[in-house]
Every structure is written in structure tokens, then in C-alpha cells.
Amino acid sequence: MGSITATSKSPIDVSNVEILSFTVTDLRFPTSLDGVGSDAMHVGTNGSHPYIRLITNHPNLIGEGIAFSNGRGSELICMALQIFATRVVGKTLHELTRNMGKTFRYMVSDSQYRWLGPEKSVTHLAVAGVLNAVWDLWGKVLQKPVWQIVCEMTPQEIVSCIDFRYITDVITPEEGIEMLEKTQKGKEERLKEAWENRAVPAYTTSPGWMAFSGERMREVLAETIAQGYTTFKFKVGTGVEIDRERLKAVRDVLGYDGKYQIMIDANQVWSVPEAIEYMKHLVEFKPVFIEEPTNPDDVLGHATIRKALKPYGVGVATGEAAQNRVTFKQLLQAEATDVCQIDAVRLGSVNECLAVMLMALKYSVPCVPHNGAMGLTELTSHLSTIDYIAISGRKSMLENADSHRENLRHPSRIVDAHYVTPLEPGYSTGYTEEALRKYVYPDGEFWRSEVGQEIMRAPTGGEL
């Protein structure tokens, strides 16, 4: 089920590539076995990839895309992918890429399915999955990674990828072009950094999962320090004293001399007053920010928390569950976040991520994409490269958490705490034959095994 791309010896014109059909596969990886992905809100998660393949009129030229879930719910996204993929069947790649902003608008314009959103939740995850596959296909035809396609665009071409509906009160296409023209300065130097694998610094969540014991946390922390990491993220929210003990153990290793930084992440577990009071007990450990301190839709709540924590030198980060560009617009307008954590599969693919990058640039807020799972890190390594080279010109950092990467055909790599710039044509999506044999849900080899069946029978959470 792999894919072979067009080669430079036999280039394929986008107008000669037609999408004929598609397949959708429910892939689920048993991350609950090692605690990767665990936090105060999400327990026993199994990182899952609703996976779409766009079949074209050229044998083995396939566009691959994913959405994401924590396990249960993937079947809903796969159903939505089946629905939204029909909108690109029969289209040529030229029709879909000649005006990507218009293509985004087309993908969200089914008036009946739109009522279920609009532009949010399961339907928007499906739109992202299909558009991710379109971008992947475009890269394979052009023989370029997706980040390079965008970075070679003019400011006008980048702006044409964005649907500005609902955000022109903050930024207009004309203003976007003007901002991007200023970013052209120094672009060649930034491109050189990308080719040298120095464009995207990495931080890691690997030691910080909630399920890790103190001993396991210290072990992974030592490993990641040895790999060159200087910035680490830890999950919090199960109890003040428990978190104080964990963070004290972290600072006992890292110290307070400024060489190492930590961030903490509550994953939506608190109300606004709880977040403020709880964080007063953790500020002594000097976190750079608290991530998702409350419900992701509560823009004004985030603003209240940010204002309360500012005297302590602690920022607020959010966005991994922000439903669309409108939520990010409001977060920025309300001065509710210090960091925009765009998500490659919750927002409407590269198109909507570009919209948020531009708004964040206007408000001088860094974009630090959400990761935390394999598959996402591959996509966001493109997005962070795009933001640095073509949009903001500001070097930020990108989360990394290593798990189940052996199942990917194009896994991201970290060298000297920097992402290795992806060079394979496309959007770094695709799975090994073994992964497809083992982890298709519910009939793959692993899910039919005794361990797989036990995971499937696990409690679903909550109490009465």
C-alpha cells in the first residue's frame, strides 16, 4: 500500500493528474501500553490515524493524508473522510491547486454537512485529512516537500491559499501581502538554515507523560538531556501535591540557572478560578507557560488566567483544540495566549494554518504547533519550517515526543535537538506494510491478539 511518486525524469503536469477514487483506513496504535499521550484529562489513549489515500489516473501516484484521534472516535472521522473525499473525486490536481483558498472554501461548503459544524469538530477533521492528502499529492507531482512548495511561493500566492472569510476584521489579503513582503528580507539565509537542519529547534514531552512514574520520568529526562534537549514539557493537573513533587524532582535534575526550561500542560482539566489558584502553587518551579489551563473554547477564560499569571512570569499557551481560524482570531484579539499552538489536523490543513500564522505574526505571538504524537510531528515539521522561512521569519520551537515511529515510511528525525528538514516529496505521510498489517482497526493482527482485545475491553472513563 505504499506509493511511488513522479520522477524528475518523467514529470507529470498537474492538469494531467485526476483523482479517480480513494480508500480510508482506521489505523490505531496501542500507545496506552506505554503511557505515551497520557495526561490529566486523557487516560488510556491509543494514538489513531484516520488515513486517506487519493487514487489517481497514474499507477501508484497516490496522495496520502491523515486526521487524528485518541482511539474511540476514529470510526466517526473515517465516516466523515468517506463523505468529504467524494468532493475531490473527478477533479484534476490543477483544479484543486490553482487557487487553494477557493479549494478550502469549496471543501467546507456542503450546506447540509456544514450545519454539523460549521468548520469544526469531526467534519473539519475530515476536511483537514482530505486537504492534507491533496497537499501531499501536489508535492509528489512537483517532486518537492510541502514546506518547499509554500516557501517558493510569492506573497500573493501564499495569500491566495487562505480563505479570509471571518477574519478580515483582523487581517485582509492586502495586509497579508504587505507583511509577507517584509518577511522576504533574510529569506535566503533562513532557507540555508533549513538545508542545514537548523531551522526548527525541538523541545520534548517524552519525560513528561502523566503515566510515567518518578523513576521512569527521571530516566527519560536523563536520556533526553543526553540527546541535547534543553526545553521540556510535563503534564500536570491530577493534584497539587503530586505535581509539586514531580516538578521538584524535575528541577532537582535541571536546576534553576537558566540552562534548561520547562513548560507544563493541564490539558483542559481546570475551571478558570481553579487554574489560577492551582498555578500559584506551581509558579516557584519557573514554567515558561501553562498549556490549556481550561476549556479550549473559553477565550475570555484564557485571557483571565493569562492576566492573573503575568505577574508571576508565567505565560499561557493554547490552540491544539482550537476549532478553526476564528477561535485563534479571538484568542489573539483578547490577548488570551502567549503562544499559538496550531494543530495540523484540527485546523483545515496547510491552508487554515497559514491564516493563523499570519494573524499571529500581526499580533507578535509565536506559532508553536501542537504535536505529542507520531504522525503529527511529521506534518508540523513542515509547518514550522514554513512559518520560519516564509511567514514570520522568527525562529520558534517544535514539540517532539518519540513513540511508534517505526511504523512510518517518512518518520521525523531529531539531530542535536533540531528537526531534520524533511526532503522527501509530499507531506511526510505514509505507513510501512507491517504497520498496515498489524494496526488496522479492528481486524489487524495486533487488535485480534489477546493484548489488543484486552485494550478494546478497557473502561471508557467517567463515573456515576
Side-chain angles (χ1 to χ4, degrees):
M1 295 180 74
S3 66
I4 301 172
T5 64
T7 67
S8 57
K9 294 181 180 179
S10 56
I12 300 173
D13 189 273
V14 291
S15 61
N16 293 325
V17 176
E18 181 182 353
I19 297 170
L20 301 180
S21 61
F22 59 87
T23 65
V24 174
T25 305
D26 189 345
L27 282 171
R28 305 191 192 187
F29 300 94
T31 53
S32 59
L33 292 177
D34 57 13
V36 170
S38 58
D39 57 57
M41 183 66 78
H42 308 99
V43 180
T45 60
N46 294 299
S48 302
H49 298 183
Y51 170 47
I52 183 169
R53 301 165 74 245
L54 300 179
I55 313 301
T56 74
N57 56 329
H58 294 267
N60 297 320
L61 176 59
I62 296 167
E64 298 169 275
I66 63 166
F68 188 84
S69 87
N70 272 335
R72 288 182 298 276
S74 278
E75 68 278 12
L76 302 178
I77 302 171
C78 287
M79 290 173 64
L81 280 170
Q82 296 271 1
I83 292 163
F84 282 88
T86 62
R87 294 183 70 78
V88 299
V89 171
K91 306 294 185 187
T92 67
L93 190 57
H94 172 68
E95 289 177 290
L96 294 169
T97 60
R98 62 187 173 188
N99 185 328
M100 282 295 266
K102 185 176 181 180
T103 296
F104 177 92
R105 176 75 68 92
Y106 165 73
M107 288 300 299
V108 301
S109 290
D110 183 305
S111 62
Q112 295 182 21
Y113 283 115
R114 186 175 173 80
W115 190 88
L116 300 177
E119 298 182 40
K120 66 182 73 162
S121 193
V122 171
T123 58
H124 215 44
L125 287 162
V127 167
V130 174
L131 285 176
N132 284 341
V134 171
W135 279 95
D136 180 72
L137 182 60
W138 196 12
K140 287 171 177 174
V141 170
L142 297 182
Q143 280 291 282
K144 296 176 182 179
V146 163
W147 71 262
Q148 188 178 355
I149 295 176
V150 178
C151 290
E152 290 180 353
M153 290 180 178
T154 65
Q156 291 80 2
E157 289 170 332
I158 291 174
V159 164
S160 74
C161 293
I162 298 169
D163 184 356
F164 281 84
R165 182 163 62 180
Y166 308 135
I167 61 173
T168 52
D169 52 328
V170 163
I171 190 167
T172 65
E174 295 75 19
E175 188 177 8
I177 292 170
E178 183 180 347
M179 291 164 57
L180 292 174
E181 286 174 344
K182 293 177 181 177
T183 306
Q184 295 293 303
K185 183 178 180 181
K187 184 175 179 181
E188 289 304 315
E189 289 79 6
R190 296 193 296 274
L191 270 168
K192 184 172 182 289
E193 288 185 82
W195 300 126
E196 294 172 349
N197 303 320
R198 306 299 294 179
V200 181
Y203 76 90
T204 182
T205 310
S206 292
W209 298 117
M210 190 65 75
F212 284 8
S213 66
E215 181 180 347
R216 176 61 175 151
M217 181 192 71
R218 283 186 283 269
E219 177 183 307
V220 179
L221 184 57
E223 291 173 358
T224 49
I225 290 171
Q227 293 165 8
Y229 287 99
T230 59
T231 306
F232 309 85
K233 188 166 76 178
F234 297 87
K235 302 294 184 176
V236 297
T238 55
V240 170
E241 292 308 316
I242 293 171
D243 289 338
R244 284 179 57 82
E245 184 178 344
R246 291 184 82 227
L247 294 180
K248 182 182 182 302
V250 169
R251 281 303 188 186
D252 285 346
V253 174
L254 300 180
Y256 288 89
D257 62 5
K259 181 179 179 181
Y260 298 108
Q261 292 183 321
I262 68 168
M263 294 92 77
I264 55 179
D265 184 358
N267 290 94
Q268 316 164 18
V269 77
W270 300 316
S271 67
V272 173
E274 285 175 323
I276 295 169
E277 183 60 31
Y278 199 111
M279 281 300 300
K280 289 178 181 178
H281 296 281
L282 303 184
V283 294
E284 68 182 85
F285 302 106
K286 304 296 183 184
V288 176
F289 62 63
I290 173 65
E291 181 176 336
E292 281 201 315
T294 193
N295 185 287
D297 294 337
D298 190 353
V299 172
L300 297 182
H302 277 85
T304 299
I305 295 167
R306 180 175 181 264
K307 183 177 180 180
L309 296 183
K310 194 169 186 178
Y312 299 96
V314 178
V316 167
T318 194
E320 71 173 84
Q323 304 193 66
N324 49 45
R325 63 200 181 282
V326 179
T327 304
F328 274 105
K329 179 188 76 169
Q330 294 177 344
L331 287 166
L332 292 165
Q333 287 175 313
E335 299 182 355
T337 188
D338 295 281
V339 178
C340 281
Q341 294 180 303
I342 57 176
D343 188 288
V345 297
R346 195 176 291 276
L347 294 179
S349 191
V350 178
N351 311 60
E352 196 165 30
C353 289
L354 290 172
V356 177
M357 289 178 195
L358 273 181
M359 291 190 289
L361 174 59
K362 180 172 178 178
Y363 282 86
S364 298
V365 173
C367 272
V368 180
H370 162 247
N371 268 336
M374 63 94 167
L376 296 182
T377 57
E378 284 62 38
L379 302 182
T380 53
S381 63
H382 289 259
L383 296 177
S384 285
T385 305
I386 290 168
D387 182 56
Y388 178 50
I389 295 173
I391 308 299
S392 72
R394 301 175 304 199
K395 187 172 291 188
S396 184
M397 57 183 174
L398 180 60
E399 182 177 15
N400 182 62
D402 197 22
S403 174
H404 290 264
R405 217 163 291 284
E406 69 277 4
N407 296 294
L408 304 177
R409 294 205 319 274
H410 311 290
S412 61
R413 293 194 301 120
I414 307 292
V415 174
D416 190 24
H418 283 74
Y419 272 81
V420 174
T421 306
L423 300 180
E424 287 287 323
Y427 206 5
S428 301
T429 301
Y431 303 90
T432 66
E433 294 293 338
E434 182 179 6
L436 293 167
R437 186 173 66 252
K438 290 174 64 176
Y439 296 118
V440 171
Y441 188 89
D443 298 320
E445 291 176 2
F446 173 82
W447 294 110
R448 293 198 310 269
S449 72
E450 184 176 340
V451 175
Q453 291 292 304
E454 185 176 347
I455 292 174
M456 292 167 71
R457 292 191 297 267
T460 58
E463 297 179 2
L464 285 176

